[in-house]
Amino acid sequence: MIRYLENLRAGILEPQALITAETTKRSYSLKLSKLRDVENAQSAGVNSLDVDLVEGKYLLSGAIDGSIYIHNLHNFTGSPNFTARVVSKTDRTNPCAHKYSVECVQWYPFDTGMFVSSGMDKHLRVWDTNCMIPAEIYNFEGRIFQHHMSSASASNLPIVVASSVNQVILIDVRTGSSVHELRGHTSSVLTCKWSPKEEFFLATGSCDSKVLLWDVRSSKSCLKSLDQHNSTGWSSTNTGLAHDGYVNGLCFTSDGLYLLTFGTDKRLRLWTTFDGRNEMINFGKIKNDSKKCIQFDVTINASPKIVYVPSEGSIFLYNVESGEKINTLLGHYNSVNCCVYHPFYHELYSGGNDRNVLIWTADHCQDTAYDESVKSHSIQSKQPPMRRTLNARRNITADTWSSDEEG
């Protein structure tokens, strides 16, 4: 780090190089935080997590019992020991709450005054954060597994909804109505994601083993159906399969150039979004028996990028470019359903059926230094005043003697 700072001051390095180096170092070194945790207020398993992109201050979580919690992540105490407290919640006692499991929650990308939730009660709710009351409620024919709002454009922000019905629905929040139906899947759609860079481009994954790429400006069928064998070119009539099982996880890289897909065939695959080609990266087998959406995430500004994938009670870290397994994060007592990467703190939050939300950080080295400093200070404070004075004199004498010898 000192070398990077010296090169930065000398003008040899760009500031972005320092950001990339530090982000990569922290992203590779995540461990369960010993000093920070999240208040355990959930009474059921956690299905979905989201960090607001405006301030990076609030953590949103949705649970199996229909409850929703908001935790404050900012530490203003001046102490490294910190618990992120619940600042707002809606549980089963609230008549506005979901009746069944909340499968997905997401902050409005440009303001923390609104968030969206959806679940097994076939409802999508747009919430006013200040009063925790739904401003809009949308009813669907099928159970909702995931929804997503795009962060690429504030002017055009439809919500894409994946449900047990084989059509993908787009909802316009401004008009309060369905604006588009995307037809191409033949079974339940488990997952959907907008591209972080292209505002009209999205991907969907289904129980029919297909991953479809869409341009919502087109009235025709999908742009491409991804083929794991790369057996065909760019064609909307391609019938190839992306996985040999359900596709229940999607995640774009932050630059929008690549798409990661996860399936019940125990495979994680990397695709280029430009031509829909399978990069043939071997991540090995990752156990995945879930019949609902699995939320995983990719680092931002790190090089090479790292993907964090929940699997049973663990979270696996993989190098996106090589497929190499970097580490395994162990801490949950039951299945892990979701994890989200904090873009500002470079840390990871995970939730599971054990009702816990855990924080994974790279601050263990700093924590150790802090503990050693406190321990040293504590030992010195217990010494008699005369002994501390003698120790100080010895140090001064030793320093003076060493200086004379050098002269």
Side-chain angles (χ1 to χ4, degrees):
M1 180 56 63
I2 295 177
R3 178 172 56 85
Y4 272 101
L5 291 174
E6 288 293 335
N7 291 338
L8 182 64
R9 185 174 63 177
I12 300 174
L13 284 178
E14 293 291 333
Q16 184 61 40
L18 176 61
I19 295 173
T20 301
E22 182 63 17
T23 302
T24 305
K25 174 185 174 182
R26 293 177 61 84
S27 301
Y28 268 80
S29 308
L30 295 185
K31 289 185 179 181
L32 185 62
S33 178
K34 297 180 180 179
L35 299 179
R36 299 175 54 219
D37 61 355
V38 176
E39 181 182 357
N40 188 6
Q42 288 87 351
S43 58
V46 180
N47 278 335
S48 180
L49 295 171
D50 193 37
V51 175
D52 78 274
L53 299 178
V54 181
E55 304 174 86
K57 182 178 180 180
Y58 298 108
L59 177 68
L60 183 64
S61 61
I64 294 175
D65 63 352
S67 58
I68 299 172
Y69 295 85
I70 301 176
H71 291 82
N72 189 340
L73 299 175
H74 275 202
N75 181 7
F76 295 110
T77 63
S79 169
N81 293 283
F82 175 70
T83 298
R85 299 295 181 184
V86 174
V87 294
S88 189
K89 70 176 182 178
T90 175
D91 53 24
R92 293 294 298 273
T93 61
N94 188 334
C96 299
H98 286 274
K99 293 182 180 180
Y100 306 117
S101 172
V102 176
E103 294 298 310
C104 184
V105 290
Q106 185 189 6
W107 286 107
Y108 177 61
F110 307 100
D111 187 1
T112 55
M114 185 180 86
F115 67 89
V116 182
S117 65
S118 60
M120 291 297 175
D121 59 0
K122 305 179 182 180
H123 289 170
L124 182 141
R125 298 172 186 261
V126 180
W127 295 83
D128 183 338
T129 309
N130 296 318
C131 53
M132 292 299 287
I133 295 177
E136 293 285 349
I137 300 178
Y138 300 93
N139 299 321
F140 290 84
E141 295 181 11
R143 301 182 306 275
I144 302 175
F145 295 107
Q146 191 177 35
H147 67 266
H148 194 236
M149 289 183 286
S150 173
S151 59
S153 174
S155 59
N156 184 25
L157 198 67
I159 304 174
V160 58
V161 180
S163 69
S164 57
V165 180
N166 58 8
Q167 294 96 5
V168 179
I169 308 297
L170 299 183
I171 299 295
D172 190 339
V173 178
R174 296 171 298 181
T175 62
S177 62
S178 171
V179 295
H180 208 357
E181 290 185 4
L182 305 178
R183 300 176 181 270
H185 288 292
T186 58
S187 187
S188 299
V189 185
L190 298 179
T191 179
C192 56
K193 284 285 184 177
W194 289 100
S195 167
K197 295 299 182 181
E198 302 293 335
E199 60 178 300
F200 300 107
F201 186 77
L202 65 88
T204 58
S206 170
C207 292
D208 60 10
S209 303
K210 292 183 180 181
V211 174
L212 302 183
L213 304 181
W214 308 83
D215 185 334
V216 296
R217 295 171 297 182
S218 174
S219 59
K220 300 179 181 180
S221 60
C222 65
L223 292 176
K224 184 175 180 64
S225 176
L226 301 183
D227 180 13
Q228 59 182 302
H229 303 295
N230 292 328
S231 57
T232 59
W234 183 279
S235 172
S236 60
T237 60
N238 180 16
T239 58
L241 303 181
H243 288 267
D244 294 325
Y246 296 171
V247 181
N248 59 354
L250 294 174
C251 186
F252 283 92
T253 56
S254 57
D255 53 17
L257 298 178
Y258 295 95
L259 173 69
L260 286 150
T261 64
F262 193 28
T264 56
D265 57 355
K266 303 178 183 179
R267 293 295 181 181
L268 181 70
R269 292 196 167 94
L270 179 70
W271 314 79
T272 56
T273 56
F274 174 73
D275 57 3
R277 182 177 180 80
N278 184 1
E279 290 296 291
M280 297 297 181
I281 304 297
N282 183 14
F283 295 94
K285 289 190 176 181
I286 309 173
K287 193 164 185 179
N288 177 12
D289 298 324
S290 178
K291 300 302 185 292
K292 62 179 183 179
C293 178
I294 296 293
Q295 181 185 353
F296 64 98
D297 212 348
V298 182
T299 55
I300 299 175
N301 292 326
S303 181
K305 297 183 183 301
I306 303 169
V307 58
Y308 305 98
V309 186
S311 177
E312 296 189 310
S314 309
I315 302 173
F316 297 128
L317 279 66
Y318 292 94
N319 184 321
V320 172
E321 297 177 5
S322 66
E324 176 190 1
K325 185 177 178 181
I326 300 169
N327 196 5
T328 301
L329 304 181
L330 299 173
H332 284 279
Y333 298 106
N334 209 321
S335 297
V336 184
N337 299 321
C338 54
C339 62
V340 60
Y341 181 79
H342 198 300
F344 308 146
Y345 297 167
H346 311 302
E347 59 190 22
L348 190 73
Y349 306 95
S350 62
N353 288 339
D354 58 0
R355 301 181 297 175
N356 291 323
V357 176
L358 302 183
I359 304 179
W360 308 87
T361 71
D363 296 332
H364 45 276
C365 297
Q366 299 178 12
D367 298 342
T368 302
Y370 175 82
D371 292 339
E372 291 177 353
S373 175
V374 171
K375 183 178 180 181
S376 175
H377 177 75
S378 176
I379 293 174
Q380 290 182 4
S381 63
K382 293 179 182 180
Q383 293 179 353
M386 181 61 70
R387 187 174 180 179
R388 290 202 300 269
T389 303
L390 289 174
N391 288 340
R393 288 178 179 174
R394 288 169 185 165
N395 291 335
I396 294 173
T397 303
D399 290 343
T400 304
W401 176 82
S402 177
S403 177
D404 292 340
E405 283 295 306
E406 291 177 0

